[in-house]
Amino acid sequence: MKGLAFYGVRDLRYEDVEYPKIEAPDDIIIKVKAAGICGSDYARYRKLGPYVPGTVWGHEFAGEIVEIGSNPQGHYIGERVCACPSIVCGECRYCKMGDFAKCEKLYAIGSLQHGGFAEYTKMPAQNLVHLPDNVSYEEGALIEPSAVALHALYKTHIKMGDEVAVVGCGTIGEMLIYWAKQFGVKVYAFDINDDKLKEAKELGADVTINTTGIEPMEALSKYTIGVDIAFESAGNPITEGQVLSLTKKGGEVVYVGLPYGDVTMPRNYFEKITRNELHVIGAFGVTSAPFPGKEWSAATDFLSRSTNNLKSIISHRAKLSEGPAILDDIMENPAGYKKVMLFPEWDNEQKEG
Ligand SMILES: [Zn+2]
Ligand SMILES: [Zn+2]
């Protein structure tokens, strides 16, 4: 079978890879139908490289079960599923507390074990989540980035009528906007790119603010004295500080983006934590108890019930074999891409979405 094996910085190869084998009782083999390229994959492709050279890449996918072991835990051949990519040990202190996102041995597929950029892949039964019939495979592949946003939202005290700021409108920012809106809140989206802000609006942002040449809080003050909750989803060393200025006193500031450089900040931002008695929250991962968590059950159930426009987050659909060329192009032209969906099996339906 074919897959995208990751060998080194800017070295991703479409080549023959080994068909997975059922080894453990809970092993399940899935025929991959759609797999998304993650924003975190860009940095890995550009400068970090693979954890283990030659590993099949990709951690956002959905597909159909084709083989099961002796303990499939309710899953069955022919079932449509999406997959939680987090592999947890089940034995550490945090796993025993049900706090799987903090597992000492946590890793995602596509790093230390083969991932979803292949015709077939293998997952533990507990990581698979049933996809309702009316949720497409490409929507199924959007559940993982949705789960990142929901995991962050569930860390807060968000409630209907709140005001929420999302700083940075990349894929995770867009997911935060889309899912925050489902809680009945008013969303302010911040970015320095007008195209991204236009997309943010399409996904439900009520107010979009371009912060080029203006302090975010100064721009926001036209609308409100401060939001209830502010999310940092840019991973930008500058916005990591700015985000602390956006909430009301006593507000919640949630860090979702990982900074891509050292963070230093003006004192007047940092001291907001103290003076404004802020609640600073870190959000990482996609899981909760019972594993893989309500992030997954809520997202799949919601997409099956709503006439949603989440799919508008997909900007490109391509054959799996085109993955390396697309990643090279993303390196040159990152602003031209939103979510890219790859299909091991390609027909005209995929072209249309
Ligand atoms: Zn991802
Ligand atoms: Zn653990």
Side-chain angles (χ1 to χ4, degrees):
M1 68 166 193
K2 294 286 188 190
L4 292 178
F6 192 23
Y7 284 91
V9 170
R10 291 205 177 212
D11 184 3
L12 180 66
R13 303 178 201 167
Y14 181 71
E15 63 180 20
D16 288 317
V17 295
E18 222 175 302
Y19 183 84
K21 249 199 250 48
I22 299 274
E23 285 158 322
D26 66 339
D27 279 349
I28 289 187
I29 296 173
I30 305 111
K31 185 179 205 304
V32 178
K33 298 285 192 171
I37 301 180
C38 178
S40 71
D41 293 340
Y42 299 176
R44 234 158 235 289
Y45 189 69
R46 187 172 49 239
K47 58 176 185 197
L48 301 173
Y51 287 90
V52 182
T55 308
V56 172
W57 215 17
H59 63 263
E60 303 177 0
F61 75 95
E64 183 190 334
I65 293 179
V66 293
E67 273 187 65
I68 52 178
S70 59
N71 181 23
Q73 302 176 21
H75 294 294
Y76 52 90
I77 289 172
E79 186 184 6
R80 304 167 72 256
V81 289
C82 60
C84 168
S86 302
I87 305 295
V88 297
C89 76
E91 284 163 7
C92 72
R93 167 191 170 84
Y94 301 103
C95 282
K96 284 191 174 142
M97 294 193 303
D99 204 350
F100 301 107
K102 298 189 184 72
C103 171
E104 303 267 20
K105 295 188 175 149
L106 176 75
Y107 67 90
I109 58 159
S111 60
L112 303 177
Q113 83 180 47
H114 292 318
F117 288 162
E119 290 179 78
Y120 297 87
T121 193
K122 182 169 80 172
M123 292 296 294
Q126 66 167 356
N127 287 63
L128 297 177
V129 178
H130 180 79
L131 263 195
D133 282 345
N134 62 348
V135 180
S136 65
Y137 284 119
E138 61 179 17
E139 286 173 313
L142 292 175
I143 302 287
E144 194 271 350
S146 295
V148 173
L150 285 168
H151 185 74
L153 284 155
Y154 289 146
K155 296 258 175 204
T156 70
H157 293 89
I158 192 168
K159 56 193 173 306
M160 192 181 147
D162 277 356
E163 294 184 298
V164 169
V166 175
V167 181
C169 298
T171 305
I172 293 306
E174 291 191 327
M175 287 290 179
L176 282 164
I177 292 164
Y178 177 86
W179 289 102
K181 282 305 292 180
Q182 315 313 332
F183 289 80
V185 300
K186 180 174 184 179
V187 171
Y188 299 85
F190 296 77
D191 206 284
I192 50 171
N193 179 316
D194 278 330
D195 291 336
K196 294 251 173 245
L197 290 169
K198 194 168 148 254
E199 291 155 13
K201 190 122 215 172
E202 282 161 19
L203 283 164
D206 299 281
V207 178
T208 57
I209 295 173
N210 188 320
T211 49
T212 307
I214 184 165
E215 288 285 304
M217 187 55 216
E218 194 188 331
L220 182 67
S221 64
K222 271 191 258 163
Y223 304 92
T224 175
I225 59 160
V227 296
D228 299 280
I229 308 166
F231 292 92
E232 203 291 329
S233 49
N236 180 308
I238 295 171
T239 53
E240 303 273 10
Q242 289 173 334
V243 70
L244 294 166
S245 68
L246 295 178
T247 69
K248 295 183 178 81
K249 293 188 178 185
E252 297 180 318
V253 177
V254 189
Y255 285 96
V256 190
L258 287 167
Y260 53 72
D262 289 345
V263 178
T264 54
M265 67 178 76
R267 192 187 69 189
N268 66 320
Y269 287 145
F270 190 79
E271 69 181 21
K272 298 271 187 218
I273 298 171
T274 313
R275 289 185 187 277
N276 292 353
E277 299 195 319
L278 299 182
H279 298 270
V280 177
I281 300 166
F284 182 69
V286 291
T287 55
S288 59
F291 190 88
K294 63 183 172 178
E295 293 87 344
W296 296 81
S297 49
T300 49
D301 179 60
F302 178 85
L303 292 184
S304 76
R305 286 184 287 107
S306 77
T307 46
N308 70 84
N309 59 347
L310 183 59
K311 273 196 332 189
S312 70
I313 211 166
I314 300 170
S315 66
H316 293 73
R317 295 175 173 85
K319 294 174 194 167
L320 185 63
S321 58
E322 293 172 82
I326 287 179
L327 271 150
D328 282 332
D329 194 51
I330 291 173
M331 298 300 108
E332 307 309 320
N333 172 30
Y337 286 86
K338 293 199 280 173
K339 180 60 78 183
V340 177
M341 213 39 89
L342 299 175
F343 300 90
E345 232 177 21
W346 179 265
D347 56 36
N348 283 330
E349 219 173 292
Q350 263 87 44
K351 217 181 280 172
E352 309 300 324

